[in-house]
Structures are given as C-alpha cells and as structure tokens.
Amino acid sequence: MIRNQTIVDILNEEPKHQELEVKGWVRSFRANRFIALNDGSTLKNLQCVVDFENMDADLLKRVTVGAAIAVTGGLVESQGSGQNVEIEVASIQILGDADPEDVKRTILQPKRHTLEKLREQAHLRVRTNTFGAIMRLRSQLAFAVHKYFNENGYYYVHTPVITGSDAEGAGEMFRVSALDPKNPPLVDGEIDYKQDFFGKETNLTVSGQLEAETYALGLGKVYTFGPTFRAENSNTSRHLAEFWMIEPEIAFCDLDGNMDLAEDFIKYVIKYVIENCQDDLEFLEGRQEQEDKSKPEAERSPMRLRDKLNFVLENNFKRVSYTEAIEILKNSKPNKKKKFKYIIEEWGADLQSEHERFLVEKHFKSPVILFDYPAKIKAFYMRLNEDQKTVRAMDILFPGIGEIVGGSQREERLDVLKQKMGELDIPEEELWWYLDTRKFGTCVHSGFGLGFERLVLFVTGMGNIRDVIPYPRTPQNAEF
Ligand code: 4AD
Ligand code: MG
C-alpha cells in the first residue's frame, strides 16, 4: 500500500526505494526533470525526479509553478547535492492547474518581491519561503504558550470578545451594534442603545484582564490567549487594530512574582522555538542578514537572529524603576542634545517609544523591566504604592520592539479602588461585578499582557507587525 505522507516526515526517512505518495504545490520545475515540491509542512522542498522520456509530454506541461500535484514513486538516495533523499517519479497527477500567464501577475512567480507587494497578496504569501517560515514559527510559539501554562498549573480561560466595559479605560474601542446605522432608534436626539441587541452599549474587548481577574480569584492561576481589538489610530510597524494577547493572572502573587513569571515564560517559549524550529529560524536569520546589507549601518541588527534569541535566554532582564529610568534619560545624550522628539524634562513624563528604545538598545543593551510608574500615566486598576504617587506597574521592553509586556499588581483594596475610579470618572455601576471581587475574599494578585505579534516579531526578526499575522487589520485596511 502506498502511504500519503508529508514532506517533513519523508525527509527524515531512510531511502530504501519504498513507494510513497506525496501531494503539494510546485515551486519549480527545472530542465523538464526536477520538480521542487512543497507542501507547507517544512521549509524544505522535496525533489521529485522525472524520467521525461517515459512520461506523457502533455501532462508534464501542466507541471507549472503554483500547481497542486500528487506524485508517487520510490524514495531513493539523492544523486545531487542539497538533499539526502529524492523521489524517483512513477506517476504524476495534476490536482489543480496554475496557468503560467496568470501566475506571472502574482507573487507565486519565483523572484524577489517586496514585503509590501506580498501584503497586497496576503492570501498567497504563505506559499513563499519567508511567510511559510513565519507562520510555522507563529504556530509553534502559540503551542509553546499553552504548553508553558499547562505545565505550570494554569487554567486556560476564555474571556468574552464582546464586552460592556473598557478594561484599559483608554476609550479605543470598536462598537458592536446590531442597530440599523441608517435609522437607529433615538431618544432626545441620541442613539438609544437600550433597543440594541444587548440592551446596552457594547464593544470588542481591548483586554481580557478584568474577567481574567475574577477567574484567578477562583481558580488561582489562569491565563487567556485570544484576539483583542483597539481602535487606536497608530499607523506604526508595532500596532495592529486586531492582535492576540496572552494574559496570565495569578492570585496571591505580587509584582516581584509577576516579573519572575514574565521572564521565565518568555525565556521558555523562545527556548522552545530554538529547539523545535531550527530550519525556519536559520532561514529567517539569513533573510535578515540579506536585508541588512541594503540598510545603512545604524539600522542594521546588532546581532544575528539566533544569537539575539540566545542572548535573551542567557541574561537576566534588567529591573529598573521608572524613577531611575527618568534619571538615566534626563542625563542621556539625545535628551541633552535635543535629539529626542519628546524631551524628558521631569519626573512624571510618559515614556515614548524613542525613550524605551534608548534604554534597551543603547543604555542597558538587554531586555529591561521598568516598574513603579507614576499613577497618573497608568490604568485605574494598578496597586497604589505607599508613596501615594506611583503604582505597582511593570512594562517589559525588548530591543527592536520596545514594549512587549504591560502588567501590574492589582489594587485589591476596595476603598482605594473606588477612590481611583471616582477620580477617573469610571462609573461603579459599570464595574459592579469587578468591585464585588474586592468585597468577597479579596487578595493580592497580579498579571500581565504580552502582545503575541510583538513576540513573533522579535523571534522572526521581521520589521513590521503586518508581516507576522496572516491578515493584518490596520487603519484603512481590512482586505481579505
Ligand atoms: O499594555 P497593554 O495595553 O496592557 C493591557 O492591556 C493589560 N490589561 C494587560 C494585563 O495586565 N493583563 O497591552 C499589553 C501588551 C503590550 O505590551 C503590547 O505588547 C501589546 O499588548 N499591544 C499591542 N500589540 C499590537 N498592537 C497593538 N495596538 C497593541 N497594543 C498593545
Ligand atoms: Mg502598555
């Protein structure tokens, strides 16, 4: 019996002339003899050698770049260099044609295409080596996330995608409504959301944190990993309107425990892909080196991709208070020479990505955990410190990325939390359920959010967040 196998498995087999069947897409067909077949299971192609003199010429004409085919034949030791095994083709079946004239106007055409061009054909880009590698890595990273939490006693909680509250209090939400936009019901000239589907205003979630907190205060250690949405009009290479966030939340854990967890977790998932995705990482490393050649010296990556990943594994993240960071920034060259767009004048200033990148890339040259931020620039739920002006917040900053994690110890004291909400005009009625958790067995607890695409950016060495998610959602763009 002939087995139908994936290429990743076939390439690990001993060549004993065993008969097999393999299906994939043609990457190239050289000299009417060598088909490079790829099925997505690995970066590597399987070489299928055709004895064209004994094959139907009309059939071979249909073996074109992009076509889907099934090949049967014996697995033999390869005569050529570049692969250990190859298939001696016995039969070919065309499963789906690809007209070469049509292929010419797509990115399937084998030549170098810009990343912008690939984005325009995001439905086809996964068939390129670069996007195959990125998306396999993304999948493996997601698996490693679940593996880590599962091995460490966390329960996976599915927090709602549609919510009635603004977890971050930043107001960057997409409204969810089933009302007729052309003719909504009005009361006193305003849209009457009481008549909407949920009987109130609802939106897509910006974070699962508040709901995750309620679950941590029952299950102990939980995490969420799901899509989150932000209607912030930031057209940058680090922002998406729809992104995936990982949010652990832990009862009886303070900020130090939270930092330890974040560091251990990040190191674990990076180690996992170093061990399990060698081919794809090697390919992306080469790609980055190639890209760097066309960049000015200052913009090149200071380390090779796998060296950079190993560096993160081998070094402790630097833990620095906001106050120390402000001193460093105030006295820094770019601040004194007014090279920063936003000059740091005094304590209390919000840090911009230029400041974060200076700290990580120029000053510490390592991942940094900044903690104890001014209360004024952070969200309402963060625990107030004894000094009454800072909160137990932490941000983790990564080279080339900037902020990758944002988290905190949560305010567990009902009176302090209520006072803070009052100051920020957050209605208690809206978060009555959240406040309940502070009434019934409240306790010290902490958590953080890690932007999954920022992690994928770091691990793949790509430069734009639009290239590490299958179908990016950004301002003015929701194609596909
Ligand atoms: O710092 P943020 O806004 O924190 C929260 O949402 C907390 N509720 C998390 C928590 O404590 N459970 O977002 C967390 C992380 C950021 O550090 C960043 O990595 C990522 O989410 N992120 C984005 N990633 C892509 N595009 C955007 N527009 C992002 N906004 C935040
Ligand atoms: Mg943040």
Side-chain angles (χ1 to χ4, degrees):
M1 201 191 75
I2 297 179
R3 286 173 301 148
N4 186 355
Q5 284 177 291
T6 54
I7 291 175
V8 70
D9 289 335
I10 293 172
L11 292 176
N12 283 323
E13 281 202 24
E14 289 298 320
K16 296 181 198 153
H17 288 80
Q18 65 274 45
E19 282 278 307
L20 38 86
E21 177 174 34
V22 54
K23 293 171 184 166
W25 295 272
V26 176
R27 282 293 177 81
S28 66
F29 187 20
R30 195 159 47 81
N32 218 17
R33 193 167 177 79
F34 303 105
I35 302 171
L37 196 66
N38 190 283
D39 69 354
S41 64
T42 163
L43 181 78
K44 292 187 179 132
N45 299 326
L46 178 65
Q47 173 150 289
C48 306
V49 184
V50 179
D51 178 8
F52 60 86
E53 282 158 342
N54 295 310
M55 279 268 184
D56 177 0
D58 287 336
L59 179 78
L60 288 183
K61 273 194 201 125
R62 292 168 63 195
V63 179
T64 56
V65 169
I69 64 171
V71 172
T72 63
L75 190 70
V76 300
E77 200 176 315
S78 177
Q79 310 292 306
S81 59
Q83 62 275 322
N84 296 326
V85 295
E86 62 191 24
I87 291 204
E88 247 172 27
V89 176
S91 78
I92 296 175
Q93 191 192 347
I94 309 291
L95 303 174
D97 287 286
D99 182 335
E101 278 308 308
D102 282 344
V103 164
K104 264 189 201 150
R105 53 173 187 84
T106 73
I107 54 159
L108 296 176
Q109 182 77 351
K111 63 168 216 182
R112 265 189 102 73
H113 303 283
T114 62
L115 291 169
E116 287 77 12
K117 183 96 190 158
L118 293 172
R119 251 170 251 152
E120 288 165 13
Q121 296 180 32
H123 60 304
L124 296 176
R125 65 180 178 172
V126 73
R127 291 217 218 156
T128 64
N129 281 339
T130 299
F131 281 84
I134 295 168
M135 295 309 159
R136 276 186 298 271
L137 269 166
R138 184 182 162 107
S139 171
Q140 295 284 12
L141 267 174
F143 177 72
V145 168
H146 289 298
K147 191 162 149 50
Y148 177 85
F149 286 119
N150 185 269
E151 284 172 4
N152 287 281
Y154 287 73
Y155 293 107
Y156 180 29
V157 178
H158 298 101
T159 49
V161 170
I162 300 174
T163 66
S165 57
D166 178 3
E168 286 303 294
E172 294 159 336
M173 298 178 298
F174 288 102
R175 169 146 305 146
V176 175
S177 171
L179 295 176
D180 177 0
K182 289 197 202 88
N183 188 22
L186 301 176
V187 188
D188 301 333
E190 303 256 320
I191 295 179
D192 182 16
Y193 285 104
K194 286 212 178 73
Q195 295 187 48
D196 203 346
F197 190 92
F198 297 107
K200 63 182 287 195
E201 287 189 58
T202 50
N203 43 266
L204 294 177
T205 185
V206 294
S207 158
Q209 179 197 321
L210 303 191
E211 290 89 351
E213 277 187 58
T214 66
Y215 262 65
L217 300 180
L219 294 179
K221 299 201 281 184
V222 300
Y223 72 105
T224 72
F225 184 2
T228 46
F229 307 85
R230 299 212 179 162
E232 51 189 341
N233 204 357
S234 322
N235 234 323
T236 79
S237 57
R238 303 281 175 272
H239 288 88
L240 290 165
E242 175 179 304
F243 64 98
W244 286 65
M245 186 150 55
I246 297 144
E247 295 181 276
E249 194 68 37
I250 317 99
F252 313 112
C253 174
D254 64 9
L255 190 70
D256 289 323
N258 203 22
M259 292 190 212
D260 293 343
L261 169 68
E263 183 165 347
D264 189 53
F265 164 64
I266 293 174
K267 286 180 172 170
Y268 177 95
V269 295
I270 290 180
K271 185 156 181 270
Y272 183 86
V273 292
I274 290 176
E275 286 169 1
N276 292 279
C277 309
Q278 290 163 17
D279 290 347
D280 288 325
L281 279 177
E282 185 184 342
F283 173 81
L284 290 168
E285 179 172 288
R287 193 195 161 275
Q288 187 181 55
E289 274 170 354
Q290 214 49 42
E291 283 259 293
D292 274 359
K293 281 184 191 156
S294 61
K295 287 185 185 164
E297 186 83 42
E299 282 170 33
R300 292 182 198 164
S301 342
M303 275 189 213
R304 300 177 70 178
L305 184 59
R306 283 172 299 177
D307 292 340
K308 179 186 83 174
L309 298 180
N310 278 313
F311 179 86
V312 170
L313 295 190
E314 286 156 13
N315 291 280
N316 293 334
F317 296 5
K318 295 267 171 4
R319 301 185 185 194
V320 183
S321 73
Y322 166 90
T323 304
E324 289 170 74
I326 284 291
E327 281 311 305
I328 293 167
L329 287 167
K330 264 207 292 202
N331 296 318
S332 70
K333 251 196 203 156
N335 204 57
K336 286 182 171 161
K337 294 194 166 165
K338 306 225 181 311
K339 286 271 158 62
F340 284 143
K341 192 161 160 229
Y342 297 90
I343 302 301
I344 299 284
E345 316 252 13
E346 57 187 30
W347 193 93
D350 202 356
L351 300 185
Q352 305 296 324
S353 77
E354 57 179 347
H355 308 125
E356 296 176 341
R357 295 185 68 162
F358 173 84
L359 290 170
V360 173
E361 288 158 27
K362 298 278 162 9
H363 189 84
F364 290 107
K365 297 190 167 63
S366 119
V368 172
I369 310 183
L370 286 187
F371 61 91
D372 284 351
Y373 281 75
K376 282 212 170 69
I377 58 172
K378 288 290 182 187
F380 74 95
Y381 50 70
M382 298 186 179
R383 194 182 197 282
L384 191 63
N385 276 312
E386 304 306 309
D387 64 13
Q388 303 293 322
K389 57 175 196 171
T390 60
V391 285
R392 297 248 75 190
M394 67 161 188
D395 274 6
I396 303 188
L397 314 178
F398 259 45
I401 305 289
E403 180 190 333
I404 193 164
V405 162
S408 65
Q409 183 174 323
R410 317 307 188 188
E411 184 55 76
E412 84 283 14
R413 299 163 295 185
L414 182 64
D415 52 336
V416 185
L417 185 58
K418 275 186 169 176
Q419 190 185 335
K420 187 68 165 291
M421 285 169 60
E423 285 165 15
L424 294 171
D425 283 330
I426 300 171
E428 285 184 24
E429 306 83 73
E430 214 172 85
L431 291 178
W432 63 273
W433 50 275
Y434 186 69
L435 290 169
D436 257 6
T437 59
R438 273 61 173 172
K439 290 179 192 158
F440 308 119
T442 191
C443 67
V444 166
H445 64 288
S446 302
F448 64 82
L450 176 136
F452 186 55
E453 284 74 22
R454 296 203 181 163
L455 176 68
V456 184
L457 260 185
F458 184 74
V459 169
T460 57
M462 297 299 291
N464 193 317
I465 201 161
R466 294 168 175 81
D467 297 328
V468 298
I469 187 165
Y471 294 104
R473 299 289 177 247
T474 50
Q476 300 300 312
N477 171 41
E479 191 64 47
F480 307 104

